[in-house]
Amino acid sequence: MIHIYKSVDGTAVQLGRPEGGCWIMLTDPTEQELIQIATQYDIELDDIRAAMDEEERARIQFEDTYSMIIVDVPAIETRDGREYYLTIPMSVLLLKDVIITVCIEENVVLKSFLHSHIRHFHTRMKTRFVLQLLYKNAECYLHYLRIINKESEAVEDKLHKSTQNRDLLELMELEKSLVYFTTSLRSNEVVLEKLMKAESIKKYPEDTDLLEDVIIENKQALEMVNIYSGILSNMVETFASIISNNLNMVMKFLATITIVLSIPTMIFSAYGMNVNVKGMPFASEIGGFAILIVLSILISVIVAVIFARKNLF
């Protein structure tokens, strides 16, 4: 889908056709739309298709008539009624008169510009617009990281009360999201460092400071994701150890109960054999059966007390 916008007093206004200083946003475009834009603005088809590949790495590329920047942006995927976090590539192409963004789906970064959440937003100032995109992207990572941290704390509280497989699987999904974020933020960091060295990107006096702010924000997000990832990994390992320990305790308890209950079983099994009653204690007594019951219970209790003193229960 192709949408065309131009900033008017800091607000994105949709246009019917492209004009100088506009922003062309391609969201999940068809092959025909990609070919149309590539032909109209003399862009290599492979370059404009790059962001359609979910595995495309973040990079920066300079051509004769345009520059292309690909970064990973955070996204939300809904499965089985739950939201999971991942990253998708987004490309930004800087041409002489227009700026083009390509992404396989709507993302929160671009929505912020459409909903006028960005101050001093101007589509005609292409370099500034790119840096604002990158800054907002880093902010979105930080926002989602805080959400992931809160969700992990909520799961931890549930695991303290009862250990359920679904809670452990939820922790695993959160840990997977952090792995995606870590990989993407590191790739974006490389792109930002290259932008810092590219003089063609810094055209306005404030752009250098803004780019430095973007780099700082990205590093902060990378530090946070490393901290949260370490905490989450330790949490998963801890609860895995707790589950294993609980299983060992259950098995120990069952083994102890089995030993205690095996004593009456062995006694009554011996009396159930087809042997001469004269050789069996209490077999000729009137209250022999009661005596055997009391005796077997007494021995079982003694063994149970011994096991209890050894903390085997």
Side-chain angles (χ1 to χ4, degrees):
M1 187 176 296
I2 301 176
H3 294 288
I4 304 167
Y5 298 95
K6 189 173 185 178
S7 61
V8 177
D9 297 329
T11 302
V13 177
Q14 190 166 359
L15 304 178
R17 60 181 181 177
E19 61 180 57
C22 72
W23 164 29
I24 301 175
M25 185 176 71
L26 302 179
T27 305
D28 192 19
T30 63
E31 184 68 14
Q32 286 184 339
E33 291 173 337
L34 291 173
I35 294 173
Q36 173 190 337
I37 297 297
T39 304
Q40 184 176 352
Y41 292 99
D42 193 22
I43 303 172
E44 290 289 336
L45 191 56
D46 289 339
D47 289 341
I48 203 168
R49 279 182 184 151
M52 304 305 294
D53 181 7
E54 294 183 358
E55 303 299 325
E56 184 67 32
R57 61 183 178 85
R59 56 190 170 89
I60 183 170
Q61 180 178 326
F62 297 102
E63 299 293 341
D64 294 335
T65 57
Y66 62 91
S67 301
M68 182 178 68
I69 302 169
I70 299 179
V71 292
D72 291 325
V73 298
I76 298 177
E77 181 182 33
T78 303
R79 299 196 306 267
D80 300 327
R82 288 196 55 82
E83 293 183 343
Y84 299 95
Y85 304 94
L86 67 160
T87 60
I88 56 175
M90 179 184 71
S91 66
V92 183
L93 294 102
L94 295 171
L95 289 84
K96 182 178 180 180
D97 296 325
V98 300
I99 184 169
I100 302 173
T101 60
V102 185
C103 194
I104 56 177
E105 63 181 56
E106 275 191 325
N107 59 74
V108 67
V109 178
L110 298 180
K111 285 181 180 179
S112 300
F113 289 86
L114 297 179
H115 298 158
S116 303
H117 295 163
I118 308 298
R119 296 176 60 188
H120 309 299
F121 164 47
H122 302 288
T123 54
R124 68 178 183 276
M125 302 172 69
K126 298 187 294 296
T127 305
R128 178 77 54 80
F129 183 27
V130 171
L131 295 178
Q132 288 175 325
L133 276 173
L134 297 176
Y135 189 84
K136 185 60 184 179
N137 187 37
E139 282 188 337
C140 290
Y141 274 107
L142 290 170
H143 174 68
Y144 283 135
L145 283 171
R146 295 187 187 97
I147 294 176
I148 290 175
N149 185 47
K150 289 181 180 179
E151 289 185 0
S152 65
E153 289 176 352
V155 175
E156 182 182 3
D157 291 338
K158 288 191 289 185
L159 286 172
H160 278 302
K161 299 175 183 177
S162 63
T163 305
Q164 300 290 335
N165 288 339
R166 64 175 179 270
D167 295 329
L168 292 173
L169 291 174
E170 189 173 344
L171 279 182
M172 186 190 70
E173 289 290 345
L174 292 176
E175 192 174 15
K176 189 191 300 183
S177 298
L178 291 178
V179 172
Y180 290 146
F181 279 18
T182 302
T183 305
S184 297
L185 285 169
R186 285 176 180 166
S187 300
N188 290 351
E189 187 177 31
V190 175
V191 171
L192 293 174
E193 290 174 354
K194 290 183 179 179
L195 281 175
M196 194 68 180
K197 299 175 183 178
E199 294 297 329
S200 59
I201 297 298
K202 298 177 288 186
K203 292 185 178 180
Y204 302 98
E206 300 86 356
D207 287 349
T208 302
D209 294 335
L210 181 56
L211 180 53
E212 289 176 353
D213 291 341
V214 175
I215 293 174
I216 292 172
E217 200 79 0
N218 192 81
K219 286 184 177 179
Q220 183 181 352
L222 189 55
E223 290 175 1
M224 284 183 62
V225 75
N226 287 332
I227 293 171
Y228 291 159
S229 183
I231 293 174
L232 202 55
S233 297
N234 292 334
M235 190 189 304
V236 172
E237 291 178 2
T238 299
F239 280 111
S241 299
I242 291 173
I243 292 171
S244 178
N245 184 59
N246 290 341
L247 179 61
N248 291 336
M249 291 176 63
V250 171
M251 295 303 294
K252 182 177 69 174
F253 176 78
L254 292 176
T256 304
I257 292 295
T258 301
I259 293 173
V260 172
L261 294 179
S262 66
I263 295 173
T265 302
M266 289 188 293
I267 293 175
F268 288 108
S269 296
Y271 275 87
M273 295 180 182
N274 189 17
V275 296
N276 192 345
V277 295
K278 292 182 179 180
M280 304 299 294
F282 312 113
S284 301
E285 300 291 335
I286 297 177
F289 182 70
I291 294 173
L292 286 176
I293 292 177
V294 173
L295 182 62
S296 61
I297 292 175
L298 181 61
I299 296 174
S300 297
V301 170
I302 293 172
V303 172
V305 170
I306 293 172
F307 283 165
R309 290 181 177 179
K310 294 181 178 293
N311 294 323
L312 294 176
F313 276 104

